[in-house]
């Protein structure tokens, strides 16, 4: 039996379970699936590990090897709570995160209510392009933002039904040979985002309360589209996230996510 200790965190409605007991990589997908089955409000699971990079405080390994900005905020909140950091003291944490080729910097502070408010220096997109997704002989051409570990396709409200998205997202992830795929239903007129995220290793598709990397993907796409800086704040099903992207010299040079994370409690369960 394994004693699994974890903290349940709410980063803008994208409920995350951050496991701080050691779980071998080969068992993480199974443990993640079991924890999510026990808590239907949980949308993703991350595991804290010893980092390989000695500049980093900790490594966050996501259940599918993907990168997640909300989980990075959540991991920072867990580490700050554990350190007993007083409210209002600005700090910067350097994390090693799955799906990110370089160390990830998280800056911010805890407020009096125990909420961590901060920003994440997001990995830059590997590419931004149009991509043809197939459904039989039909092709859906969508903007695609590729990050290390996860891809995001940006979907306008009338381009695809939600039922079709649920049916297709797994095969589209396979078509891309990606570890994870997000379908970001983006309404530019109202600044609203509804994110559906599929993780290949667990075979799970979740309508998330908010999506950090999806929000960053849209900022990056708009920045490249306009050839200038883009700053957005998007209302999502259970929260709000902001992101900024700086475009220059033919590419996105800087990408930052801003959000918050609050602890919902610490738990321990025994799993075989």
């Amino acid at each position: 039996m394994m004693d699994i200790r974890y903290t349940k965190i709410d980063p803008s409605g994208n409920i995350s379970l951050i496991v701080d007991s050691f779980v071998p990589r080969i068992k993480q997908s199974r443990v993640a699936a079991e924890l999510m089955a026990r808590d239907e409000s949980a949308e993703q699971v991350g595991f804290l590990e010893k980092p390989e990079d000695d500049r980093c405080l900790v490594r966050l390994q996501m259940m599918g090897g993907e990168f997640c900005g909300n989980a990075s905020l959540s991991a920072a909140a867990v580490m700050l709570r554990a350190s007993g950091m007083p409210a209002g003291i600005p700090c910067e944490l350097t994390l090693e995160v799955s799906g990110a080729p370089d160390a990830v910097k998280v800056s911010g502070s805890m407020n009096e209510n125990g909420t961590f408010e901060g920003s994440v220096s997001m990995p830059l997109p590997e590419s931004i392009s149009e991509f043809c997704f197939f459904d039989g002989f039909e092709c859906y051409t969508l903007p695609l933002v590729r990050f290390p570990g996860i891809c995001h396709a940006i979907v306008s409200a009338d381009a695809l039904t939600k039922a079709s998205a649920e049916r297709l997202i797994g095969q589209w992830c396979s078509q891309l040979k990606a570890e994870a795929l997000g379908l970001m239903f983006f309404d530019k007129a109202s600044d609203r985002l509804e994110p559906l995220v599929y993780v290949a290793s667990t075979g799970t598709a979740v309508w998330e309360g908010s999506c950090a990397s999806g929000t960053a993907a849209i900022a990056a796409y708009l920045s490249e589209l306009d050839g200038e800086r883009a700053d957005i704040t998007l209302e999502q099903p259970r929260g709000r996230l902001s992101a900024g992207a700086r475009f220059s010299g033919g590419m996105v040079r800087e990408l930052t996510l801003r959000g918050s994370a609050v602890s919902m409690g610490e738990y321990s369960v025994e799993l075989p």
Side-chain angles (χ1 to χ4, degrees):
M1 299 292 286
M2 292 186 293
D3 180 25
I4 305 297
R5 301 181 308 277
Y6 64 92
T7 304
K8 185 175 181 178
I9 301 280
D10 178 0
S12 302
N14 183 206
I15 307 301
S16 305
L17 307 182
I18 304 298
V19 177
D20 62 10
S21 50
F22 174 71
V23 178
R25 291 272 179 93
I26 196 170
K27 296 183 178 180
Q28 287 180 359
S29 292
R30 178 179 65 81
V31 169
E34 178 64 29
L35 292 178
M36 290 177 70
R38 289 171 177 241
D39 186 342
E40 293 185 355
S41 68
E43 298 180 349
Q44 59 187 1
V45 181
F47 298 84
L48 298 184
E49 300 178 350
K50 183 178 178 179
E52 295 181 4
D53 187 338
D54 58 13
R55 297 173 300 166
C56 298
L57 179 64
V58 72
R59 177 178 177 86
L60 172 65
Q61 181 69 24
M62 294 303 294
M63 64 186 191
E66 76 277 19
F67 177 82
C68 179
N70 272 334
S72 298
L73 284 171
S74 298
V78 169
M79 299 304 293
L80 286 177
R81 281 175 58 86
S83 74
M85 179 70 70
I89 304 296
C91 59
E92 181 177 273
L93 290 74
T94 303
L95 309 180
E96 193 175 273
V97 184
S98 58
D102 300 308
V104 173
K105 294 190 181 298
V106 183
S107 304
S109 63
M110 304 292 289
N111 66 22
E112 295 291 347
N113 297 324
T115 297
F116 176 69
E117 296 181 352
S119 63
V120 181
S121 179
M122 302 286 285
L124 299 179
E126 294 177 334
S127 65
I128 303 173
S129 63
E130 299 286 315
F131 190 85
C132 180
F133 292 96
F134 288 100
D135 178 14
F137 292 106
E138 186 172 4
C139 171
Y140 292 88
T141 301
L142 303 172
L144 181 70
V145 183
R146 292 180 182 265
F147 289 108
I150 191 167
C151 298
H152 288 295
I154 301 171
V155 186
S156 60
D158 57 351
L160 186 69
T161 67
K162 292 183 179 180
S164 294
E166 292 172 357
R167 175 175 60 84
L168 293 167
I169 191 170
Q171 69 186 59
W172 285 0
C173 188
S174 297
Q175 183 183 342
L176 290 166
K177 296 181 172 57
E179 294 170 282
L181 172 64
L183 295 181
M184 300 292 110
F185 283 77
F186 174 48
D187 185 336
K188 188 175 182 180
S190 62
D191 287 329
R192 293 195 61 84
L193 176 66
E194 292 188 71
L196 176 65
V197 177
Y198 178 84
V199 176
S201 67
T202 56
T204 53
V206 176
W207 288 100
E208 295 191 341
S210 71
C211 182
S213 58
T215 303
I218 291 169
Y221 168 69
L222 294 176
S223 178
E224 183 181 76
L225 191 66
D226 295 336
E228 59 185 20
R229 183 173 181 85
D231 287 285
I232 59 172
T233 297
L234 300 182
E235 295 291 343
Q236 303 184 36
R238 290 193 295 277
R240 175 189 296 178
L241 286 170
S242 299
R246 181 174 63 83
F247 183 89
S248 68
M251 65 182 293
V252 175
R253 303 279 180 180
E254 180 183 313
L255 188 57
T256 304
L257 175 91
R258 298 179 296 278
S260 61
V262 60
S263 173
M264 302 175 72
E266 298 176 357
Y267 303 87
S268 177
V269 298
E270 285 195 346
L271 298 178

